[in-house]
Structures are given as structure tokens and as C-alpha cells.
Amino acid sequence: MFNLVIFGPPGSGKGTQSEKLIEKYRLVHLSTGDLLRAEIANKTPLGIEAKKFIDNGQLVPDEVVIGIIDNSLEKNKEAKGFLFDGFPRTVTQAKALDKLLELKHTVINLVVSLQVSEAELVKRLLNRGITSGRSDDTNVEVIRKRFAVYEKETSPVAEHYNKQEKLSPMQGGNTIDDTFHSICKVIENVLV
Ligand code: AP5
Ligand code: MG
């Protein structure tokens, strides 16, 4: 199995790069943001509860997203590998993921951390907000709140993987194709 985490602040290109990576490496894409938005669209109790946090730029509670990931791993027993996008987002989630993967006799192989300036991130998110319909993309205050939550709660996850020597920081401010090629190079170094 090959398991990859794509890590970075809101708007850094995690979803964009994931689409290309799952096609090339045949991985199962697990985006907690996408899975939560599907729950919201279906108006499930979980979705209704999660929407309150998302609209506010806050994280959904750890036990909720860990449960979603656990279910998704169970549903995809035949997968060659997983691409985790937007998860783990707290050190508690990272430790839970290590345990879930251990039960399946596998590990995270690589964590790609996309680095993009805040000015570029705001520009990308507001631009996407025009067409995405995402409630958390249209309000600059909510976007700033997402960055603050990222700094405080999510950035320590990088250190969790740095200690495991799995972290690969990468410039994410270049074109989509240039970033994709840089990620592929790092993956190929790990795959050999
Ligand atoms: P989530 O859906 O994960 O959103 P996010 O992390 O805030 O990140 P985005 O999806 O906004 O950005 P991205 O990095 O995927 O960038 P993208 O490729 O789209 O989470 C949303 C919310 O759900 C959270 O705030 C939280 O409430 C909740 N949640 C989710 N997971 C959770 C978890 N594990 N725990 C707790 N709560 C959780 O690109 C952005 C834009 O830029 C696009 O328009 C794209 O076309 C453009 N773009 C991409 N790359 C480039 C490039 N190189 N050059 C120019 N434009 C580019
Ligand atoms: Mg995304």
C-alpha cells in the first residue's frame, strides 16, 4: 500500500493536486471536507451539525471526522492506497490515523506540505467563492478565521510527521502543473 497525506492551509491546492494524483497513482481520495459537504447536501444529522462549524471557519470535532475516516477505510478494503486531503487536521486526528492504519498493517508513507503566501491564498479562495457555492469561501472574515485555526490547531500536525521523517515541504505557489510535477518527483523517490 502507498498512503499519502496532502497537507497545507485552506486554498493551498490540496483538492486540485489530489484530483491529479489519484488518477496517476490510483489512490482512493479521502477528503474530509468533501465528505462533510456531501453530508450537508444530503441534510443528514451529521451534516446539519457539521455545517455550524464549517460556516464559522471552525474545525468539526475530532471524533466526528475520525469516525468518517474509519468508515471510509472500512468501505475501501481493496484499495491500493489512500490519499488523505484535509485530514488529519489536529494532532489528535494524526495519532488516531496512525492507530487506524496500524490495525490494517499499514502506515503513512509520505506527507506533502504545500506552502503558499497568505495573500495568494485569500485571492484563490475569494475567486473560488464566486463559483463554488461554498459558504466558507465568500466571507473574508471566515477565511481569516480558517487561517487562524490552521496556525493554531493544524500546523502542529506537520511536526508530528516531521518527527517520523515523513514530511516533505513544497512550494505550492507555482502553477498547478509545476506543483504536480514536484509532488510526483518526491513520490517517486519514496516509491523506489
Ligand atoms: P476543506 O474542504 O478541507 O477545506 P480547506 O482545508 O479549508 O481547504 P480548501 O478545500 O479550501 O483548499 P484546498 O487546499 O483544497 O485548495 P483547492 O485545491 O481547492 O475543509 C472545509 C471545512 O470542513 C473546514 O474549515 C472544517 O470546518 C471542516 N473540516 C474538513 N476536514 C476536517 C477535519 N479533518 N477536521 C475538522 N474539520 C474538518 O484550491 C483552491 C483554489 O485555488 C481553487 O479555485 C483552485 O482552482 C485554485 N488553485 C489551486 N492550485 C492553484 C495554483 N497552483 N495556482 C493558482 N490557482 C490554484
Ligand atoms: Mg479542498
Side-chain angles (χ1 to χ4, degrees), residues 72-176:
S72 304
L73 293 175
E74 279 301 304
K75 271 193 215 151
N76 290 284
K77 285 206 167 106
E78 305 304 317
K80 273 180 57 184
F82 293 95
L83 196 176
F84 297 94
D85 160 8
F87 180 91
R89 242 178 165 94
T90 62
V91 173
T92 303
Q93 291 177 24
K95 288 181 178 165
L97 181 60
D98 285 346
K99 286 207 180 110
L100 287 173
L101 293 178
E102 196 184 322
L103 290 172
K104 298 185 188 317
H105 309 289
T106 186
V107 291
I108 291 296
N109 299 92
L110 176 68
V111 179
V112 170
S113 169
L114 297 173
Q115 328 256 307
V116 182
S117 73
E118 192 164 314
E120 169 72 12
L121 295 172
V122 174
K123 201 172 87 190
R124 287 185 191 178
L125 292 176
L126 287 174
N127 195 29
R128 184 179 61 186
I130 298 168
T131 51
S132 69
R134 272 182 59 167
S135 53
D136 56 348
D137 275 353
T138 38
N139 180 326
V140 180
E141 260 174 52
V142 173
I143 290 176
R144 296 270 178 219
K145 176 79 178 289
R146 286 159 68 195
F147 292 151
V149 168
Y150 177 82
E151 272 312 311
K152 184 160 178 274
E153 299 183 52
T154 304
S155 59
V157 173
E159 187 47 32
H160 174 85
Y161 289 115
N162 193 27
K163 278 192 221 142
Q164 299 183 2
E165 298 181 357
K166 290 173 180 169
L167 187 73
S168 183
M170 190 163 301
Q171 175 52 253
N174 300 325
T175 66
I176 292 172

Side-chain angles (χ1 to χ4, degrees), residues 32 36 40 46 49-54 57-66 68 89-90 93 149 153:
T32 39
L36 289 166
I40 292 172
L46 193 157
E49 195 49 35
K51 189 173 186 325
K52 297 180 200 159
F53 294 95
I54 293 179
Q58 290 169 303
L59 294 183
V60 173
D62 284 334
E63 58 273 21
V64 174
V65 283
I66 292 165
I68 289 178
R89 242 178 165 94
T90 62
Q93 291 177 24
V149 168
E153 299 183 52

